Amino acid sequence: MNLTSLLAVHAGDRAQHTALVHGAEAWTYAELFGRVRRVSGLLKSRGVGVGSRVLVFVPMSLELYAVVLGVMHCGAICVFIDPGMGRKRIDSAVELAD
């Protein structure tokens, strides 16, 4: 069982309970899992699957959690990049992620 499997259980059992809060915005388990499934479906439709590496360049937000969990849900691996890394390190992360 992985994290997204547990999220699916909570989305069924605790659908309207708050799962995430960021600032004034909050998502329920049902909302979060719905977004996770949409991200995962989009990635799968683009050929991402188990073991694929996905570059994640999303600022700290609720959407970041949906993206990270969506990547995990389709069995892929997140490679995080941040503008604060500088161009050279971003290029290196992109190259290493293949």
Side-chain angles (χ1 to χ4, degrees):
M1 181 174 277
N2 65 27
L3 186 58
T4 59
S5 298
L6 292 173
L7 177 58
V9 170
H10 283 312
D13 295 345
R14 309 179 74 191
Q16 297 311 310
H17 289 123
T18 301
L20 288 174
V21 177
H22 182 76
E25 191 176 9
W27 289 350
T28 65
Y29 283 100
E31 290 171 322
L32 175 58
F33 192 55
R35 291 170 189 255
V36 167
R37 286 191 328 241
R38 285 192 293 279
V39 169
S40 179
L42 174 65
L43 292 170
K44 287 178 183 177
S45 76
R46 304 249 173 123
V48 174
V50 174
S52 296
R53 284 173 241 133
V54 177
L55 291 170
V56 177
F57 190 63
V58 180
M60 184 56 76
S61 60
L62 293 179
E63 288 78 14
L64 173 62
Y65 290 95
V67 169
V68 169
L69 291 168
V71 170
M72 292 171 62
H73 191 61
C74 67
I77 301 160
C78 291
V79 177
F80 295 96
I81 55 175
D82 181 275
M85 294 170 64
R87 181 62 189 228
K88 184 176 179 183
R89 291 184 68 199
I90 289 173
D91 289 345
S92 177
V94 170
E95 186 177 325
L96 288 171
D98 192 31

